[in-house]
């Protein structure tokens, strides 16, 4: 089975059969010897987005000035939400783009606890993003009534078995907040299965899709999901700090209001009326003036994802990851590396974490700009090297080169020449 695995020709053959390979040239390439495996943290820049932003800046902002609010900007948050709805299996009227993921989480956790207020338990897991934990704790800290905050544990640090959820979700559970794909191990939940489990106990569920949107097929309506949030600057390539999206299932919308009453969430912001009346639809979750330049960047970048189609993207993501794992077990596992992600692709999103006690220095060696091949992974403490596979711009050849580069860093012990002081954004 592994007949060609150590030769680059197999990687080239896979690339030649790849229907998505044409998208690679749609992205700005800073340097032809760079292999970027951090699209799960900050996606690359689509060339169309450079052109689109230039147009928005020069023509809409420069020439048309404030007239652009009516001509292009006023409903942009809703229009971009409509595009995102297509890739998460939601209705156009159920998604809006606003603020950061953390702030949207605040709005929805607050709304959900108010809605399901006869119960006093909120559940998450130890894999969830720190901000998700903090936001929940912050809200509970503001509430006067007592809530129990339950954190589901993993047995192996990589997966969360469904039994661990079943044992903690009971009739007293008001809300469950989970990341679809875990940011460290990339463990992937089955949204429909867990949502059913929540609903059987009368609990609401909120999914954080930050690490799966744009790369895993998601069917929010079909799975009857109550609430969801997610980032746009990872696999959607919306750019640094681009605003996040928020989803509320249609039948819940009329039953909740946002805890943050801002003028953009009012029925008629431009009446400047002092009596707040929340907008009827998803717009009630807007707060203040939207960041138009960042919204415009998402508006154009996401077209590539929609055009390529999520099912094709997921398909290639699985193939890239499986190719990586074959090479990993062939070349790296015997150099004291351990797999920090689920082995079964059905339980895994689009990055793979590999663990080594020298992970930090190995990352530094991979990223050294003096190298012939420069690789950007990211490091997640204490010992994870995260390799994000973004099917629109990563190739099978990239994967082959990455594994061979890591192997040579280990065999030649080049990582020993780097310092071990961890600093800044990793
Ligand atoms: C990246 C990420 C976030 C980031 O939230 P921001 O408020 O946009 O900084 C939140 N949750 C998860 C699961 C993430 O992966």
């Amino acid at each position: 089975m592994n007949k060609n695995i150590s030769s680059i020709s197999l990687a080239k053959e896979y690339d030649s059969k790849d229907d998505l390979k044409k998208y690679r040239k749609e992205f700005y390439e800073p340097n032809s010897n760079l292999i970027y495996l951090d699209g799960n943290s900050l996606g690359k820049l689509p060339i169309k987005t450079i052109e689109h932003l230039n147009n928005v800046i020069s023509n809409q902002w420069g020439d048309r000035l404030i007239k652009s609010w009516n001509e292009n900007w006023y409903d942009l948050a809703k229009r971009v939400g409509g595009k995102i709805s297509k890739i998460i299996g939601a209705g156009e009227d159920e998604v809006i783009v606003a603020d950061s993921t953390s702030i949207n989480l605040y709005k929805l956790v607050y709304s959900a606890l108010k809605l399901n207020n006869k119960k006093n338990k909120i559940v998450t897991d130890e894999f969830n993003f720190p901000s998700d934990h903090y936001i929940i704790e912050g809200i509970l800290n503001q509430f006067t009534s007592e809530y129990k905050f339950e954190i589901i544990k993993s047995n192996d640090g990589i997966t969360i078995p469904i039994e661990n959820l079943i044992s903690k979700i009971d009739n007293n559970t008001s809300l469950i907040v989970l990341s679809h794909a875990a940011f460290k191990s990339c463990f992937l939940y089955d949204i429909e299965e867990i949502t059913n489990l929540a609903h059987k106990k009368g609990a609401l569920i909120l999914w954080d899709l930050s690490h799966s949107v744009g790369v895993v097929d998601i069917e929010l309506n079909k799975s009857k999901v109550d609430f969801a949030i997610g980032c746009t600057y990872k696999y959607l390539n919306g750019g640094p700090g681009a605003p996040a999206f928020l989803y509320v299932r249609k039948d819940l919308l009329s039953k909740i209001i946002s805890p943050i009453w801002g003028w953009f969430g009012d029925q008629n912001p431009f009446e400047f009326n002092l009596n707040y009346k929340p907008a009827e639809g998803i717009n009630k979750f807007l707060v203040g003036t939207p960041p138009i330049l960042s919204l415009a960047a998402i508006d154009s970048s996401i077209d590539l994802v929609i055009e390529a189609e999520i099912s094709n993207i997921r398909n290639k993501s699985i193939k890239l990851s499986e190719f990586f794992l074959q090479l990993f077990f062939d070349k790296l596992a015997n150099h004291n590396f351990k797999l920090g992600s689920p082995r079964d692709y059905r339980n895994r999103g689009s990055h793979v974490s590999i663990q080594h006690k020298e992970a930090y220095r190995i990352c530094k060696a991979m990223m050294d700009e003096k190298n012939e091949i420069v690789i950007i992974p990211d490091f997640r403490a204490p010992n994870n090297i995260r390799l994000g596979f973004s099917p629109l711009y990563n190739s099978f050849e990239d994967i082959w080169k990455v594994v061979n580069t890591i192997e040579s860093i280990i065999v030649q012990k080049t990582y020993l020449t780097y310092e071990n002081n961890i600093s800044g954004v990793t």
Side-chain angles (χ1 to χ4, degrees):
M1 189 180 87
N2 286 354
K3 62 180 183 339
N4 288 325
I5 196 99
S6 54
S7 124
I8 198 166
S9 58
L10 184 63
K12 291 190 175 188
E13 187 189 321
Y14 288 157
D15 280 327
S16 72
K17 292 182 186 149
D18 170 22
D19 292 336
L20 298 185
K21 68 171 176 292
K22 61 180 185 229
Y23 288 98
R24 191 174 169 99
K25 65 174 186 338
E26 299 285 340
F27 290 85
Y28 179 76
E29 184 153 66
N31 192 334
S32 62
N33 66 0
L34 175 71
I35 299 178
Y36 191 69
L37 296 186
D38 222 348
N40 54 327
S41 250
L42 175 67
K44 283 181 85 171
L45 169 62
I47 290 163
K48 281 200 184 97
T49 300
I50 305 178
E51 292 159 11
H52 183 61
L53 281 188
N54 278 336
N55 172 44
V56 172
I57 290 172
S58 305
N59 302 331
Q60 296 180 12
W61 179 14
D63 287 343
R64 302 299 293 162
L65 285 164
I66 204 162
K67 293 186 203 115
S68 283
W69 275 108
N70 281 326
E71 291 168 359
N72 291 290
W73 299 341
Y74 190 52
D75 63 349
L76 191 57
K78 188 83 192 303
R79 273 193 282 132
V80 177
K83 284 189 177 181
I84 293 175
S85 73
K86 292 190 182 133
I87 60 171
I88 55 177
E92 250 178 26
D93 294 337
E94 296 172 318
V95 181
I96 197 135
V97 180
D99 308 306
S100 63
T101 307
S102 304
I103 292 176
N104 289 336
L105 182 67
Y106 180 89
K107 296 173 199 167
L108 293 185
V109 167
Y110 194 103
S111 305
L113 292 181
K114 278 255 198 191
L115 179 65
N116 207 5
N117 62 5
K118 299 279 185 304
K119 300 162 180 245
N120 66 359
K121 184 156 135 182
I122 177 161
V123 175
T124 186
D125 69 18
E126 65 170 332
F127 288 169
N128 210 346
F129 199 71
S131 204
D132 296 46
H133 282 251
Y134 307 157
I135 293 282
I136 294 168
E137 283 184 301
I139 289 175
L140 298 186
N141 190 42
Q142 286 158 7
F143 275 19
T144 48
S145 50
E146 285 294 308
Y147 271 87
K148 195 165 168 209
F149 185 26
E150 188 100 60
I151 296 164
I152 297 161
K153 297 275 192 291
S154 159
N155 307 336
D156 59 1
I158 295 175
T159 58
I160 306 261
I162 189 155
E163 301 76 51
N164 296 20
L165 290 166
I166 291 171
S167 70
K168 299 288 186 199
I169 298 169
D170 57 26
N171 290 326
N172 206 22
T173 305
S174 172
L175 175 67
I176 301 160
V177 180
L178 295 170
S179 283
H180 184 200
F183 77 100
K184 264 189 201 168
S185 77
C186 211
F187 171 67
L188 188 73
Y189 278 113
D190 181 328
I191 287 188
E192 187 162 308
E193 182 182 37
I194 310 297
T195 300
N196 278 337
L197 179 68
H199 288 170
K200 275 203 197 110
K201 298 285 181 184
L204 294 165
I205 193 156
L206 189 163
W207 287 102
D208 186 336
L209 306 174
S210 294
H211 256 88
S212 57
V213 66
V215 80
V216 179
D217 22 352
I218 297 168
E219 293 286 351
L220 294 183
N221 282 167
K222 211 172 124 253
S223 307
K224 302 195 169 61
V225 168
D226 303 301
F227 305 104
I229 52 168
C231 289
T232 59
Y233 50 80
K234 294 172 177 167
Y235 295 106
L236 299 185
N237 311 307
F245 65 89
L246 161 167
Y247 155 92
V248 177
R249 204 182 59 231
K250 208 167 187 172
D251 59 290
L252 295 176
L253 257 179
S254 57
K255 300 180 185 158
I256 56 176
I257 59 168
S258 173
I260 310 176
W261 295 10
W263 70 305
F264 262 74
D266 188 78
Q267 274 175 19
N268 293 301
F270 286 90
E271 282 183 5
F272 299 102
N273 190 322
L274 294 189
N275 299 319
Y276 176 73
K277 280 205 210 76
E280 269 170 23
I282 193 80
N283 280 46
K284 72 173 82 171
F285 284 100
L286 294 178
V287 181
T289 309
I292 294 300
L293 298 181
S294 284
L295 266 177
I298 310 169
D299 188 19
S300 112
S301 296
I302 197 174
D303 286 344
L304 292 174
V305 175
I306 294 171
E307 187 193 299
E309 292 183 25
I310 292 290
S311 55
N312 298 328
I313 295 174
R314 172 67 173 158
N315 220 338
K316 179 170 171 191
S317 154
I318 293 169
K319 285 186 184 153
L320 288 169
S321 313
E322 289 295 306
F323 184 52
F324 170 81
L325 288 172
Q326 259 189 309
L327 289 163
F328 172 82
F329 287 113
D330 197 48
K331 290 170 174 287
L332 299 181
N334 57 350
H335 291 296
N336 296 317
F337 273 102
K338 265 182 58 194
L339 183 59
S341 292
R343 179 63 193 90
D344 186 335
Y345 70 86
R346 288 167 297 188
N347 304 326
R348 196 176 64 231
S350 199
H351 71 261
V352 171
S353 285
I354 58 175
Q355 303 176 330
H356 194 284
K357 69 178 190 328
E358 287 287 352
Y360 184 70
R361 291 206 281 186
I362 296 168
C363 277
K364 277 197 152 175
M366 291 164 76
M367 290 166 75
D368 193 329
E369 298 200 28
K370 294 192 292 289
N371 297 344
E372 215 167 288
I373 297 173
V374 180
I375 302 165
I376 303 189
D378 65 23
F379 169 76
R380 284 291 173 269
N383 62 349
N384 289 284
I385 302 175
R386 264 194 339 185
L387 306 167
F389 306 131
S390 198
L392 294 184
Y393 48 80
N394 288 131
S395 67
F396 293 89
E397 197 173 324
D398 286 348
I399 304 280
W400 189 91
K401 287 177 176 166
V402 166
V403 174
N404 282 275
T405 304
I406 299 175
E407 186 189 29
S408 94
I409 287 169
I410 297 288
V411 171
Q412 295 173 18
K413 298 197 186 327
T414 34
Y415 63 91
L416 292 174
T417 61
Y418 296 86
E419 284 193 42
N420 221 348
N421 53 337
I422 300 174
S423 62
V425 174
T426 59

